[in-house]
Amino acid sequence: MEAEKPKDDDDGGGRDKPALPGLLLGAIGVVFGDIATSPLYAMQQAFGKDGIAPRHDNILGLLSLILWALVLVISVKYVLFVMRADNRGEGGMMALAALARNAVRRHRRAGWWVIMLGLAGAALFFGDSVITPAISVLSAVEGLKLVSPDFGRWVLPIGAVVIVLLFLLQKRGSALVGTLFGPVMALWLLSVAALGVHGLLRHPEVLAAANPRWAVAYMLHNGFKGFASLGAVVLVMTGGEALYADIGHFGSLPIRLSWFGLVLPALLLSYAGQGALLLTDASAAQHPLYSLAPHALLYPMIVLATAATVIASQAVISGTFSMVRQGIQLGYLPRSRVEHTSSDMEGQIYLPAVNFMLFAAVMAAVLGFRSSDRLAGAYGIAVSGTMLLTTLLFLVVALMRWRWGPLRLGAFGLVYVLIDATFFGANLLKLPDGGWFPVVLALVMMVVMTVWHRGRQLVNRQLHAEGEKLVDFISHLQDEPPLQAPGTAVFLTGHRTWVPQALLHNVEHNHVLHERNVVLTVDSLDQPRAEGGERSDVEKLEHGFWRVTLRFGFAEHIDVPARLRQLELDPTLEADEVVWFLGHDKVNAEDNQPYRIARWRARLFAWMARNATPATTYYGVPSRRLIEIGARIDL
């Protein structure tokens, strides 16, 4: 069989998209917000009070590391390679993990490791999404200190207010992406590039940093301290994951054109200009980007920087919403209410519960760390950890799906595992100085995802142990036929082979059965959208029963009644008049059950099950035609 070839320029799953100029502008506003605001704090962290001394060789050496990090990691690894590993037009850690799991489906143990890598990457991304708004907004507002030291006491209150407004606006969605976000981010990038050119004109010699020998000499001369400073170099790559995660919204070509045409040149000019400034004024290391700006432009730059960081934070938060929805539909997170905020752009969603939790975590980070310097220590672990896990999952896809040869696979793996592991190791040194914060957040997310997935497995196992197969149940009904009610009943169930608990209890206790009965299963796929014949399976059984399976991808809006109406099961069936039955399982954590798990895990799962959004709300089932029949499940 011929090996599957990676696609060079996927258009996002074959969907109709706006014209290329609109996609370019939208990509600049959404995809690059995080990485485009890194010049606010990256060089500051490298040469600040606890960083490397801003001497000539150190400046050129660190600039060389920054340049080659952007070229090798972002341009080559992500833009040229990882973005080709799309899952039917969708990207991101969960999509990549699903793609890798499909590639190793025949190898059960390897599949378990792939899923764990994917969950760990998603958990680290959650930590990244907490740190990004906090450090970005604070670093922008801290420019006020250059205007007057007296403004220093206002940085924290102003930053907190901006963050509150940011999360209050999430419910309105990202409808302004094409008309506001893109132009603002483009103006920001052009501004930092212009400031960089202004600095370069004074010391063009920093362009020599393009020679990698400066990076090598820097590492050899500074030893362990140089290794530790790689934690600051990672900060120039924050947001690299967004290039891959957003290909479902914009496609590969607009992201690549935006990166090479504007974003990368602007970033390189900005960092080079900051380095040139430091050659003449080492004291500018406290805030090199703002120090490049003429005094008359300082206030406008602070306002523009604040707007840019709000946009960057908005994009990261939206990415978190998408990741959580993928986790829900893949069965690793409890259901949560999803609101679609745009009728024109797919994927623009808002999750109220997730928004509140993110807000609480971001405010805790702002009030706990109180400055961008301290937050920088917490930032790199999440970024570098996610990059390393992305490389490992990409290698699985390249080996098992694309059938890369050992030479090609070994060369790519050696280069990028070494690079990513080195950056991750350097950031581990920050654990005592705030690096523990995203690690704790990631561990909490890992516990939540693994407990939920395992708990659902145990619940289903217990239901099956006490259940009956559907075909046997229908056959037995003819022995003592129950009363028949007119109309159609739809019974939602997680497993099409077994009798839904609601159906079983309805016949057992109420002794009634509807004229037509649909046993409906809703499945989630390891791909963004269900296409063609895989969208549904319909099987007509005896005595007025249908067995129906509806399938949705992890990026689709789930509307079960709408999909059911499309099936046309029976000319007499009125889909809008059906009665919906759902088993409402009440989970209890007990010690003495045969399928028990650790007591604290059982209690956590029971709490999540009680607080999860009801399946009817998540699936779009009308509550006025819903009957819930409860059952107790002991773990």
Side-chain angles (χ1 to χ4, degrees), residues 344-364:
D344 301 321
M345 182 174 290
E346 183 178 352
Q348 297 302 315
I349 57 175
Y350 168 69
L351 283 74
V354 177
N355 190 62
F356 177 78
M357 288 188 291
L358 269 179
F359 168 72
V362 171
M363 286 303 294

Side-chain angles (χ1 to χ4, degrees), residues 519-562:
V519 177
L520 177 62
T521 303
V522 180
D523 282 347
S524 295
L525 301 176
D526 287 347
Q527 61 194 51
R529 283 162 294 279
E531 299 175 356
E534 65 186 355
R535 289 165 58 87
S536 61
D537 284 334
V538 178
E539 181 183 1
K540 187 171 182 179
L541 306 175
E542 296 179 329
H543 310 299
F545 274 85
W546 280 267
R547 180 156 51 192
V548 176
T549 301
L550 302 180
R551 300 185 183 90
F552 294 85
F554 57 70
E556 285 188 276
H557 171 47
I558 297 181
D559 189 337
V560 170

Side-chain angles (χ1 to χ4, degrees), residues 317-506:
I317 294 167
S318 297
T320 305
F321 291 160
S322 297
M323 183 198 72
V324 170
R325 182 180 66 171
Q326 292 177 11
I328 292 170
Q329 293 183 208
L330 291 173
Y332 289 94
L333 287 170
R335 292 181 300 270
S336 180
R337 184 160 60 93
V338 178
E339 298 179 8
H340 290 258
T341 60
S342 174
S343 58
D344 301 321
M345 182 174 290
E346 183 178 352
Q348 297 302 315
I349 57 175
Y350 168 69
L351 283 74
V354 177
N355 190 62
F356 177 78
M357 288 188 291
L358 269 179
F359 168 72
V362 171
M363 286 303 294
V366 168
L367 299 177
F369 290 92
R370 305 181 71 84
S371 74
S372 62
D373 282 342
R374 295 175 181 174
L375 278 166
Y379 203 7
I381 287 183
V383 175
S384 57
T386 304
M387 287 182 170
L388 176 59
L389 294 172
T390 296
T391 297
L392 296 177
L393 289 174
F394 177 84
L395 289 172
V396 173
V397 173
L399 173 65
M400 303 299 295
R401 195 177 183 91
W402 298 344
R403 307 298 181 189
W404 276 14
L407 184 61
R408 187 180 185 186
L409 188 77
F412 185 92
L414 179 64
V415 170
Y416 285 104
V417 170
L418 179 62
I419 290 175
D420 294 338
T422 301
F423 281 129
F424 184 61
N427 278 279
L428 286 178
L429 300 174
K430 298 179 178 181
L431 276 173
D433 300 320
W436 56 268
F437 184 67
V439 172
V440 168
L441 292 175
L443 288 175
V444 170
M445 281 297 294
M446 278 292 290
V447 168
V448 167
M449 290 188 286
T450 54
V451 166
W452 180 257
H453 186 66
R454 179 58 175 161
R456 291 305 306 167
Q457 288 180 329
L458 296 181
V459 166
N460 290 331
R461 189 186 302 178
Q462 188 163 340
L463 288 174
H464 293 169
E466 302 171 356
E468 183 178 1
K469 290 193 173 181
L470 181 61
V471 291
D472 297 335
F473 175 79
I474 295 173
S475 176
H476 296 156
L477 282 178
Q478 306 315 304
D479 299 335
E480 297 182 15
L483 295 175
Q484 192 172 81
T488 303
V490 177
F491 295 88
L492 284 165
T493 179
H495 295 271
R496 63 195 312 268
T497 305
W498 299 84
V499 183
Q501 291 294 303
L503 173 57
L504 196 64
H505 292 309
N506 187 47

Side-chain angles (χ1 to χ4, degrees), residues 1-327:
M1 182 180 294
E2 185 180 354
E4 179 178 342
K5 302 297 183 184
K7 293 174 282 186
D8 289 324
D9 289 303
D10 187 83
D11 64 356
R15 293 163 288 163
D16 293 334
K17 289 184 177 294
L20 183 59
L23 289 172
L24 290 172
L25 197 60
I28 291 171
V30 174
V31 178
F32 301 105
D34 194 359
I35 199 167
T37 52
S38 297
L40 280 165
Y41 46 79
M43 293 282 281
Q44 172 186 341
Q45 180 67 16
F47 292 114
K49 58 182 179 180
D50 297 322
I52 293 288
R55 295 191 293 266
H56 177 276
D57 289 3
N58 286 343
I59 292 170
L60 291 185
L62 196 84
L63 280 177
S64 185
L65 285 170
I66 289 173
L67 182 153
W68 287 104
L70 290 172
V71 169
L72 290 176
V73 178
I74 305 300
S75 300
V76 177
K77 174 186 159 183
Y78 278 100
V79 176
L80 299 184
F81 282 98
V82 174
M83 283 176 59
R84 301 168 74 187
D86 67 282
N87 191 335
R88 299 199 182 186
E90 291 289 329
M93 181 57 72
M94 296 295 279
L96 181 61
L99 193 67
R101 184 172 67 173
N102 277 334
V104 298
R105 188 173 292 277
R106 297 180 182 179
H107 308 278
R108 185 175 179 182
R109 189 166 185 82
W112 183 88
W113 279 107
V114 163
I115 286 298
M116 288 299 104
L117 289 176
L119 294 182
L124 284 171
F125 181 81
F126 182 80
D128 184 10
S129 65
V130 170
I131 302 293
T132 293
I135 190 173
S136 299
V137 172
L138 283 180
S139 61
V141 179
E142 283 170 353
L144 291 171
K145 295 180 181 178
L146 295 181
V147 178
S148 171
D150 294 336
F151 284 152
R153 66 178 184 273
W154 292 101
V155 168
L156 195 61
I158 293 174
V161 169
V162 171
I163 288 171
V164 169
L165 293 175
L166 169 66
F167 280 93
L168 287 176
L169 291 173
Q170 290 304 308
K171 191 172 184 178
R172 301 180 63 88
S174 300
L176 298 179
V177 166
T179 58
L180 178 60
F181 284 12
V184 170
M185 288 307 302
L187 178 60
W188 165 256
L189 286 164
L190 291 173
S191 299
V192 298
L195 291 178
V197 171
H198 176 64
L200 273 173
L201 292 176
R202 288 185 283 182
H203 270 286
E205 65 189 86
V206 296
L207 294 177
N211 189 333
R213 77 175 182 85
W214 286 103
V216 175
Y218 171 88
M219 295 300 295
L220 292 176
H221 180 265
N222 288 287
F224 182 77
K225 196 166 186 179
F227 172 73
S229 70
L230 292 177
V233 178
V234 168
L235 298 180
V236 309
M237 299 183 288
T238 59
E241 284 289 323
L243 279 72
Y244 175 50
D246 280 317
I247 58 176
H249 293 156
F250 300 99
S252 300
L253 181 60
I255 293 175
R256 286 172 175 155
L257 290 177
S258 300
W259 171 252
F260 288 114
L262 174 61
V263 182
L264 178 60
L267 291 176
L268 293 178
L269 286 172
S270 177
Y271 291 123
Q274 293 180 49
L277 173 66
L278 293 177
L279 288 177
T280 57
D281 183 9
S283 65
Q286 294 303 312
H287 222 305
L289 179 64
Y290 282 137
S291 298
L292 276 173
H295 188 76
L297 296 179
L298 194 53
Y299 277 120
M301 276 300 297
I302 292 172
V303 173
L304 181 59
T306 303
T309 56
V310 167
I311 292 172
S313 302
Q314 161 71 34
V316 170
I317 294 167
S318 297
T320 305
F321 291 160
S322 297
M323 183 198 72
V324 170
R325 182 180 66 171
Q326 292 177 11

